[in-house]
Amino acid sequence: ASVVDNDSVSLQWTDASATTAGFRVYQFTSDDPVPVLVTDLGPETTTYEVNGLVRGKQYSFFVQAINLTTNSAPSNVVSVD
């Protein structure tokens, strides 16, 4: 993850499967540790910019690959302040 400016972050990941139907990006905070779906993305998408973040608040993100039969395990969590 890389901070784009005071209220956004750019996430990047690798598509490690030829059968990926898409990706789901999730977000949670220290104030609310329950993951919330941010967006569903199509196959071959490997970046996403999250906007509207509050400066000074910690956000954590993970990505999950989806396909027609099952979903992958969540990616490693990345956090930004």
Side-chain angles (χ1 to χ4, degrees):
S2 59
V3 176
V4 176
D5 56 36
N6 289 337
D7 67 348
S8 62
V9 63
S10 178
L11 304 173
Q12 299 177 347
W13 58 91
T14 302
D15 183 355
S17 173
T19 62
T20 302
F23 295 93
R24 290 184 175 145
V25 177
Y26 292 87
Q27 162 186 313
F28 61 97
T29 67
S30 55
D31 296 339
D32 187 4
V34 177
V36 174
L37 178 64
V38 175
T39 190
D40 281 311
L41 300 167
E44 300 179 20
T45 303
T46 57
T47 62
Y48 184 72
E49 188 170 310
V50 182
N51 298 300
L53 305 178
V54 176
R55 186 176 184 185
K57 185 173 186 176
Q58 185 181 49
Y59 293 88
S60 299
F61 303 91
F62 65 88
V63 177
Q64 187 175 38
I66 55 175
N67 66 36
L68 299 177
T69 58
T70 188
N71 297 337
S72 73
S75 68
N76 293 333
V77 173
V78 62
S79 297
V80 295
D81 291 321

